[in-house]
Amino acid sequence: MRSIWNGAISFGLVSIPIKLVNATESHSISFRQIHVSDGGRVRYRKVCELDGEEVPAAEIGKGYEEADGSIVPITDEDLARLPIPTAKTIEIVSFVPAEEIDPLQMDAAYYLAANGATAAKPYTLLREALKRSRKVAIAKYALRGRERLGMLRVVDDVIAMHGLLWPDEIRQPEGVAPEASVTVREAELDLADALMATLGEVEIASLHDDYREAVEAMLAAKTGEGFEPAEAVVEPSGGQVIDLMAALESSVRAAKASRAGGSGDSAESATEAEVTPIRGRRTPAASAPAPKAVGGKKSTASTGTAKKTAAAKKTAAGGKTSAGGKKSTATAKGAAGTKSGAGARAGARSTKSASAAGAKSAGTGRASAAGAAAGAGTAKKAAPRRRSSA
């Protein structure tokens, strides 16, 4: 591999000559701009604004534009004379645990190769020290005209360096998190854990760029006899997701079916969302039926509890009336109060009505005798009023 930078690692008083090699490469397919009518390539021409002539690459230099629009020329010699100790040196400043490095700071990656036979011994020493300490080295270096921050770690038997962004280059995530207050229940977390466990792990080496492969297949077909673009296969989105629990449950079922190699029907049915009742909630109990309206003829006893009157049975021979007398309320329509037939006599006998303790009027001498028909509960006409004896 071709090196892009030569220098040395400064490890205290130890200097390790190294070569910097790109550790990554891009496989993305790039396109050229063309003239649609005739297919000719469209190129960019670098033209000087003063004379309007095209400038070759050998005559193009650097310059800094000030606020007023004037340009200050900067040469490579000017940059080389700057007092930067890391101009040709990767200077290690500290060793820290790898967990302290925020992945947001990660930038380009490079391999550090030992440059020459004399560099093999100190190179191996630094590599083994990093392995045993389980730490990474934080270093400064200069590349492409600016000083940068880097992290050195061991990959297999090679020291790799990751370019890091400076801490002030990381933007604060203000206004990114949801502003609404959201509560996550334990049941939802349990389903999320189940989904993570079902998906399991994957071999990173088995992942590939499907889009790039499709573009390469299209290019291969276009260079051949003919090409007919195939319609994109759109997977069914399934049912409407009603709640998060339904989506999680469907995801777990789909993942299990996929890993188990189930049939397509089972996988398709697993993607349909279902409504899941939320655990821990109780449905409100049905309200008790309202009590029936009390009829106008139903009287209340003096104790405050309603009692049903027994059917009045009037015997002609004995003259006794077995009836549960009712005392009318003030708002009840009809007679002012029922009085047993036996009580209408001289008043010597006391009535033994079970439900009307105060059916007897002390100050009045008039009473209305009402006979209740047995089993029908309908009031008969009142008997002729009689004057009670003193």
Side-chain angles (χ1 to χ4, degrees), residues 17-389:
I18 55 95
K19 295 184 295 183
L20 196 66
V21 180
N22 280 323
T24 61
E25 58 184 359
S26 176
H27 288 168
S28 61
I29 300 175
S30 59
F31 299 99
R32 302 292 187 183
Q33 290 184 334
I34 62 171
H35 191 194
V36 177
S37 60
D38 55 12
R41 182 176 173 183
V42 177
R43 297 179 180 270
Y44 291 101
R45 298 177 59 191
K46 297 181 179 180
V47 179
C48 178
E49 293 182 352
L50 297 180
D51 56 15
E53 295 183 359
E54 186 176 357
V55 181
E59 298 181 6
I60 297 176
K62 299 183 183 67
Y64 174 77
E65 184 177 2
E66 296 192 65
D68 58 357
S70 60
I71 303 296
V72 179
I74 302 296
T75 64
D76 293 338
E77 290 76 11
D78 295 335
L79 296 176
R81 286 195 295 265
L82 292 177
I84 301 178
T86 58
K88 283 292 182 179
T89 305
I90 299 175
E91 182 181 359
I92 296 177
V93 296
S94 66
F95 293 88
V96 299
E99 293 79 12
E100 294 187 7
I101 305 300
D102 192 342
L104 285 175
Q105 291 184 256
M106 295 290 185
D107 202 357
Y110 308 95
Y111 288 136
L112 303 182
N115 192 5
T118 57
K121 178 71 174 183
Y123 183 94
T124 305
L125 173 64
L126 177 60
R127 183 191 66 194
E128 297 302 319
L130 289 173
K131 280 185 179 180
R132 190 170 69 172
S133 66
R134 296 181 181 179
K135 294 183 177 181
V136 296
I138 304 300
K140 289 182 176 182
Y141 66 100
L143 182 65
R144 298 187 180 97
R146 56 172 296 212
E147 189 174 41
R148 303 171 186 265
L149 193 64
M151 178 190 74
L152 277 66
R153 69 183 184 96
V154 178
V155 177
D156 295 335
D157 290 333
V158 177
I159 299 176
M161 183 175 69
H162 296 269
L164 299 180
L165 299 175
W166 295 98
D168 58 356
E169 293 179 327
I170 304 297
R171 300 175 61 184
Q172 295 298 323
E174 297 179 356
V176 179
E179 296 180 359
S181 178
V182 179
T183 302
V184 179
R185 298 182 291 111
E186 291 295 330
E188 294 170 342
L189 288 175
D190 294 341
L191 278 175
D193 293 339
L195 177 59
M196 294 167 62
T198 304
L199 292 177
E201 300 178 355
V202 65
E203 292 291 337
I204 300 298
S206 65
L207 302 178
H208 57 277
D209 189 350
D210 295 330
Y211 179 76
R212 178 174 59 88
E213 293 180 355
V215 173
E216 290 176 348
M218 177 194 66
L219 294 176
K222 272 185 169 292
T223 56
E225 296 181 356
F227 171 73
E228 294 182 0
E231 295 183 359
V233 179
V234 180
E235 296 182 356
S237 59
Q240 182 182 4
V241 177
I242 304 301
D243 56 13
L244 184 58
M245 292 289 290
L248 289 171
E249 290 176 349
S250 299
S251 300
V252 171
R253 290 196 299 269
K256 288 181 178 179
S258 176
R259 293 182 67 86
S263 62
D265 295 339
S266 61
E268 182 178 356
S269 61
T271 59
E272 295 183 357
E274 298 177 355
V275 180
T276 302
I278 300 177
R279 299 177 184 176
R281 288 189 181 179
R282 296 180 180 177
T283 56
S287 59
K292 296 182 179 179
V294 180
K297 287 190 175 183
K298 188 174 182 181
S299 60
T300 56
S302 59
T303 59
T305 60
K307 296 181 179 180
K308 295 183 178 180
T309 60
K313 186 179 289 185
K314 191 174 183 181
T315 59
K320 293 182 180 180
T321 304
S322 171
K326 296 182 180 181
K327 186 175 181 180
S328 307
T329 59
T331 61
K333 295 181 180 180
T338 57
K339 199 172 187 181
S340 64
R345 297 174 182 180
R349 296 180 184 178
S350 60
T351 59
K352 296 181 179 181
S353 175
S355 61
K360 193 175 182 182
S361 299
T364 63
R366 297 187 180 187
S368 62
T378 59
K380 293 183 177 180
K381 293 183 179 180
R385 298 179 180 177
R386 296 179 182 178
R387 183 180 297 275
S388 61
S389 62

